[in-house]
Amino acid sequence: MLSRSAQGLYWMGRYLERAQHLCRLLQLQVEALVDRPVREIHLGWSRIYGALNRQPPFGGIQFDRRDNYTLADSYTLAGDLTFERSNPDSVWNCFSLGRENARQMRHRISAEMWICLNLAYLRIQKLDIEDIWKTSPENFYAETVEEIHTFSGVAATTMYRDEGWHFMQLGHCIERAQISVALFLSQIATAKLYQDSPDGDCTTLLRLYHAFDAYDRKHSVEIQPHQVLDLLAADPLLPNSLCRSLDSAAAELAAIAHGPSAASSAAASRLAGRVQALIRHEWPDRKDREAMLRQIGEHCRGLHDQIMTAYIDYSVEDAPVH
Amino acid sequence: MEFAGYDLDDGIYDEMLQPNGEPREHSRLLYETLCQLSSDEINSIQERVTRSFSNEGISFTVYGDAEANERIIPVDCLPRILPPSEWRHLEIGLTQRLAALNRFLNDVYGEARIIDDGVIPADVVRGCPQYRSEMCGVAVPHGTWVAICGTDLVRTNQGFQVLEDNLRVPSGVSYMIANRKVVKSSLRRLYRSSRVRGVEHYGRLLQKTLRELSPSGRNDPCIALLTPGVYNSAFYEHMFLAREIGAELVEGRDLLVNGGFVYMRTTTGLRRVDVVYRRVDDDFLDPLVFREDSLLGVPGLIHAYKLGNVAVVNAPGTGIADDKSVYAYVPDMIRYYLGEEPILLNVETHLCRRPEELEYTLDNLENLVVKRVGESGGYGMLVGPHSTLEERDAYAEQVRADPADFISQPVLPLSRAPCLIEGRPEPRHVDLRPFVLHGTETRLVPGAFCRVALRRGSLVVNSSQGGGGKDLWVLED
């Protein structure tokens, strides 16, 4: 497959995963605006911005107990994270970039996938924060997540399982792993800032990962932050856990034939295996979760770079000719 | 839907109705079906057609309009119909014309007999900006310089005429297929009853044609469609065709030349490319031979081509044969190379390079269409009757400054076809662009991209100038 096509599909997977993840976070956050205490709302915003490694538009999130201020700020923050064109991490930008990669790779994905994505794009294009804020903003996020899920389902049933598929899935898994690491680190940091919050709002995290039932089954109804983190990070049975994302990334990589340089491809596989081993075998025994998450995050970035080197940006000098 | 009040003009051929308001025989079923549809029904069909284009993102880019990176091409839901006899006539005429044009290209880049024999002046050929001296002496596979040709045809009361030949990177075929797909599904029963010939197999014919041109000895040739990129006006079409023919859609940066062979960069290494279906203009194809500042092309491509290691389709240098000055000589080419009378006529053309024709052009600007010989897409032309005195004066100055760069033609009363405008049928001017393929033999799908000047009274059908499309139905015998 053409390297640039593989790259386009890989980034399509990444951007759509990023858009979906942010939508889900925002959906839960705006749901919290209805009945959660002001402090928890602030914690939620801090966690999101921390995960994105960004500053909010007006410089920082100030703790103010008054509802009016919190709601007004929330409107601004949601606008910044959803439709702001100058924010590269906004839902609008992530979704548009995912769709743009799909547009350039239309000949490589199924017609049904394209139409599904384009319809969602046409809907989002017409909206802004005012439109969605008037009624029920959570519906907008839920609908967008649903559209991305539909896209994934359509892809699963219509896309040819060639390298393109695996690169798309690889992008999707690596993105999910990286944003999970960033979110968990942000969770640890915000929990330190908001120590008066009993569980650091871990329930939102459990909902985000559709992990409530699994947590209840495994532990008890009482939420313990370290148990939540262990579940979300290291449970291989949880569909969106960090562990499962890394397992899937390794499996997708294994499904792709080796690149022009066998050594370079092997380096990517080794890295994928190493980070998989970290979460599967070292996580249970290591106490310093934060340091470990940072290490995993670095490995994920390294894995991304190594994939680019092995398949996309390789030197043509020594590349084999077919 | 009512045709009462539909504007018929004796001087302008209507594709559906006769001058007495009765439908032409081949359009009778369409006419009767439309008359039975309520206004709501036809509007909902049009809406469905438009929505389908939008949902599928069938777009083109308008240069210089930042907002129109992905403009959806307007499509009218009322098909235009051609009876089998008319299509046969066009098919034979187009085949004849392409044969002559390929012979001409072989000749002017070879012995140049046509110039020596005084049929066409040397300066018309060699002074043309599209003449590529680098291509002299190159033996192209099967003598096929033009493998894909999109000829613009118009109809007047005198019959069909060729408005221009597009021999470099003709576009529009994807819209022909998209129009068919959506109109067919919107007028299902009518389509079935009308016995319309299919166009959907164009991709197979194109692939067959490209394979025929691949370097000899390559059993399973690798075909790459070379696009200038996502910002090109026809990017949608490039993507569409790459899918249709199973080719990789490549940009210049994806290709490289090594040891006289062309390779593309894949995830497993370099893969040899046998056929480059290029949608990049000559100027930008190879910076080592043409424009050295080109970032769109592939350094060394022409060298590999000359060695016979890769086919470039259409061949570089074909632009000489669709230059608007050279166009005037096509009927002579047909007589010269084929010993036949042209089946399809040219539009009367005045070459401003000739002093008496320059004078005629300048004296009659308000009645003529004046075009730059090297422009296309409706850019850089003056439509006399629709221009102001100031515009004509400014244009005349440009013509005087470089007469050889201009031609003029009479304003043709292009035929009209009914279009759905604000819920009612109104006549709009149309042309058609059939696509002719030639590898070792000539192939056509029975259909064309039918372009419509959607603005009332406008004669400009180009998509970039407010034009749209229509489905063209060629009926079975």
Side-chain angles (χ1 to χ4, degrees):
Chain A
M1 156 177 250
L2 193 69
S3 290
R4 196 170 46 79
S5 299
Q7 190 181 23
L9 293 166
Y10 173 84
W11 277 109
M12 181 182 81
R14 287 200 73 146
Y15 280 122
L16 292 178
E17 179 63 29
R18 202 177 292 179
Q20 185 199 184
H21 179 80
L22 185 53
C23 275
R24 184 89 181 111
L25 267 173
L26 288 167
Q27 181 192 345
L28 297 173
Q29 179 67 11
V30 296
E31 276 175 14
L33 298 179
V34 180
D35 59 356
R36 305 305 299 160
V38 164
R39 191 149 177 81
E40 202 172 302
I41 293 168
H42 283 224
L43 184 151
W45 286 123
S46 298
R47 181 171 50 204
I48 296 174
Y49 275 96
L52 296 174
N53 198 22
R54 280 184 68 79
Q55 282 293 310
F58 41 81
I61 295 164
Q62 304 301 319
F63 179 60
D64 190 315
R65 287 187 182 281
R66 283 170 295 183
D67 268 10
N68 287 351
Y69 282 100
T70 301
L71 291 177
D73 286 352
S74 294
Y75 172 85
T76 309
L77 297 174
D80 175 55
L81 292 168
T82 310
F83 293 106
E84 181 53 50
R85 307 297 198 259
S86 66
N87 175 1
D89 296 320
S90 70
V91 172
W92 193 91
N93 271 320
C94 294
F95 195 89
S96 297
L97 285 167
R99 186 259 186 190
E100 180 58 23
N101 275 288
R103 184 168 85 92
Q104 296 188 29
M105 293 302 137
R106 272 178 76 169
H107 60 298
R108 278 289 181 182
I109 60 175
S110 70
E112 293 84 353
M113 286 165 74
W114 164 253
I115 289 179
C116 181
L117 204 53
N118 198 42
L119 282 174
Y121 172 77
L122 293 173
R123 181 182 72 87
I124 295 171
Q125 274 268 305
K126 292 183 198 139
L127 298 171
D128 62 24
I129 189 66
E130 264 185 65
D131 298 318
I132 69 164
W133 209 257
K134 269 185 260 175
T135 51
S136 164
E138 53 267 44
N139 280 354
F140 165 79
Y141 298 117
E143 219 173 308
T144 308
V145 168
E146 203 174 290
E147 282 164 340
I148 299 175
H149 282 165
T150 305
F151 172 80
S152 302
V154 169
T157 49
T158 60
M159 190 170 170
Y160 193 62
R161 295 298 198 272
D162 61 0
E163 271 191 340
W165 165 267
H166 295 299
F167 272 102
M168 182 180 83
Q169 293 299 323
L170 192 56
H172 174 74
C173 299
I174 290 180
E175 180 66 29
R176 199 193 312 143
Q178 279 192 245
I179 52 185
S180 289
V181 167
L183 181 66
F184 299 157
L185 284 169
S186 179
Q187 171 68 20
I188 293 169
T190 24
K192 284 179 193 162
L193 281 176
Y194 294 80
Q195 282 177 351
D196 52 339
S197 176
D199 65 359
D201 190 26
C202 281
T203 48
T204 298
L205 283 192
L206 285 173
R207 288 176 65 201
L208 182 71
Y209 281 82
H210 308 280
F212 240 124
D213 293 345
Y215 185 87
D216 284 353
R217 252 178 269 146
K218 210 164 176 176
H219 304 290
S220 69
V221 288
E222 197 179 329
I223 305 290
Q224 295 293 336
H226 69 279
Q227 288 175 339
V228 171
L229 186 57
D230 283 350
L231 178 77
L232 303 187
D235 190 330
L237 301 183
L238 191 70
N240 295 318
S241 70
L242 175 59
C243 173
R244 203 170 171 89
S245 301
L246 294 169
D247 283 351
S248 305
E252 294 300 341
L253 196 56
I256 297 170
H258 74 68
S261 151
S264 197
S265 308
S269 298
R270 276 200 307 277
L271 202 47
R274 199 174 303 146
V275 68
Q276 216 183 343
L278 266 181
I279 194 79
R280 275 189 170 267
H281 305 305
E282 284 195 38
W283 181 275
D285 300 329
R286 283 201 21 199
K287 294 269 185 293
D288 188 352
R289 299 291 192 240
E290 196 174 337
M292 187 135 190
L293 284 168
R294 288 194 195 287
Q295 199 181 350
I296 293 170
E298 268 165 42
H299 280 329
C300 287
R301 280 190 290 280
L303 181 57
H304 165 87
D305 292 343
Q306 191 55 43
I307 289 166
M308 293 297 121
T309 307
Y311 297 99
I312 317 291
D313 302 324
Y314 58 83
S315 153
V316 292
E317 302 302 318
D318 312 312
V321 170
H322 301 291
Chain B
M1 182 170 163
E2 286 185 16
F3 279 82
Y6 181 82
D7 179 26
L8 285 167
D9 181 329
D10 282 351
I12 302 174
Y13 186 92
D14 191 278
E15 296 288 341
M16 184 194 269
L17 299 176
Q18 302 176 61
N20 63 6
E22 282 294 305
R24 297 186 187 281
E25 203 40 50
H26 59 267
S27 293
R28 182 172 293 283
L29 186 58
L30 169 64
Y31 175 80
E32 286 169 358
T33 305
L34 294 177
C35 288
Q36 283 163 16
L37 292 175
S38 71
S39 182
D40 283 350
E41 283 168 328
I42 192 71
N43 282 334
S44 115
I45 288 172
Q46 178 61 54
E47 204 223 312
R48 206 178 319 147
V49 165
T50 305
R51 196 174 53 236
S52 170
F53 264 50
S54 169
N55 291 350
E56 292 199 28
I58 299 169
S59 61
F60 68 103
T61 302
V62 177
Y63 297 129
D65 184 350
E67 297 298 310
N69 187 22
E70 284 184 63
R71 184 177 287 183
I72 299 301
I73 192 157
V75 56
D76 181 71
C77 69
L78 308 182
R80 171 182 173 183
I81 297 183
L82 282 188
S85 57
E86 286 183 356
W87 178 254
R88 260 197 311 276
H89 171 71
L90 295 183
E91 197 171 17
I92 298 168
L94 290 166
T95 303
Q96 178 196 55
R97 197 168 173 98
L98 183 58
L101 288 164
N102 268 319
R103 295 274 293 270
F104 168 72
L105 285 159
N106 263 313
D107 188 18
V108 291
Y109 288 117
E111 295 173 48
R113 285 188 301 113
I114 197 165
I115 295 173
D116 294 344
D117 290 342
V119 178
I120 179 165
D123 66 321
V124 170
V125 175
R126 294 183 183 133
C128 169
Q130 301 304 325
Y131 178 73
R132 307 289 179 194
S133 56
E134 299 86 350
M135 295 305 292
C136 288
V138 176
V140 304
H142 309 294
T144 300
W145 288 73
V146 179
I148 301 139
C149 167
T151 302
D152 290 342
L153 296 165
V154 295
R155 191 207 305 250
T156 65
N157 276 330
Q158 278 67 53
F160 284 105
Q161 286 173 278
V162 176
L163 193 60
E164 64 183 32
D165 304 286
N166 294 287
L167 307 176
R168 285 171 262 182
V169 285
S171 63
V173 76
S174 58
Y175 305 126
M176 168 183 87
I177 296 168
N179 287 348
R180 172 60 53 87
K181 184 180 165 201
V182 64
V183 172
K184 179 167 79 171
S185 74
S186 302
L187 295 168
R188 301 160 59 85
R189 286 171 64 185
L190 172 67
Y191 186 83
R192 182 157 192 92
S193 316
S194 298
R195 300 179 65 230
V196 183
R197 295 179 67 189
V199 294
E200 295 85 350
H201 57 296
Y202 177 82
R204 286 204 303 280
L205 297 187
L206 175 60
Q207 190 195 50
K208 204 170 184 178
T209 300
L210 294 172
R211 290 172 78 102
E212 284 171 356
L213 297 172
S214 71
S216 54
R218 301 288 289 173
N219 288 334
D220 186 17
C222 169
I223 302 172
L225 193 155
L226 178 62
T227 172
V230 69
Y231 297 108
N232 185 265
S233 63
F235 180 76
Y236 163 77
E237 174 153 309
H238 303 165
M239 179 283 305
F240 174 89
L241 289 175
R243 177 197 281 278
E244 285 282 300
I245 62 176
E248 281 290 358
L249 182 60
V250 299
E251 295 180 15
R253 58 190 162 134
D254 300 317
L255 300 180
L256 62 114
V257 177
N258 193 0
F261 292 93
V262 179
Y263 297 98
M264 65 182 173
R265 197 187 177 95
T266 74
T267 51
T268 53
L270 302 180
R271 182 174 178 203
R272 184 175 158 189
V273 175
D274 302 296
V275 181
V276 175
Y277 173 21
R278 55 94 173 206
R279 298 295 299 254
V280 170
D281 283 336
D282 286 359
D283 273 344
F284 301 99
L285 259 185
D286 180 347
L288 300 183
V289 178
F290 303 120
R291 274 180 60 163
E292 61 182 26
D293 60 341
S294 169
L295 299 173
L296 304 176
V298 187
L301 178 63
I302 297 300
H303 173 63
Y305 179 57
K306 285 183 175 178
L307 291 174
N309 292 335
V310 67
V312 177
V313 180
N314 287 336
T318 50
I320 178 66
D322 71 7
D323 176 86
K324 290 183 172 64
S325 295
V326 174
Y327 158 88
Y329 294 93
V330 177
D332 294 331
M333 288 176 203
I334 294 171
R335 293 184 194 102
Y336 180 76
Y337 293 115
L338 308 178
E340 298 169 6
E341 274 307 302
I343 294 163
L344 294 171
L345 300 179
N346 265 19
V347 176
E348 176 192 344
T349 301
H350 310 284
L351 304 180
C352 297
R353 60 169 54 244
R354 296 175 182 153
E356 66 281 13
E357 294 180 33
L358 169 65
E359 197 183 328
Y360 173 82
T361 299
L362 293 173
D363 288 347
N364 294 280
L365 272 184
E366 69 276 25
N367 301 317
L368 295 170
V369 177
V370 192
K371 300 174 180 173
R372 281 187 181 273
V373 295
E375 288 281 9
S376 58
Y379 292 101
M381 72 180 197
L382 177 88
V383 182
H386 296 170
S387 63
T388 62
L389 182 61
E390 289 75 28
E391 285 168 340
R392 287 198 293 276
D393 285 348
Y395 205 86
E397 229 170 273
Q398 294 178 41
V399 176
R400 274 192 209 96
D402 188 7
D405 197 30
F406 293 87
I407 56 124
S408 67
Q409 293 171 331
V411 178
L412 294 176
L414 303 191
S415 66
R416 299 192 301 195
C419 292
L420 194 68
I421 308 288
E422 292 169 3
R424 294 180 50 76
E426 281 191 24
R428 291 291 184 267
H429 293 290
V430 289
D431 78 352
L432 73 159
R433 179 180 289 181
F435 292 86
V436 192
L437 301 170
H438 186 89
T440 53
E441 60 181 90
T442 304
R443 305 179 175 96
L444 277 91
V445 293
F449 177 36
C450 174
R451 300 186 300 175
V452 190
L454 285 169
R455 290 185 199 133
R456 184 196 293 265
S458 171
L459 291 163
V460 185
V461 294
N462 305 77
S463 318
S464 52
Q465 313 278 322
K470 239 181 188 312
D471 193 15
L472 179 90
W473 291 3
V474 174
L475 304 185
E476 283 177 13
D477 265 326

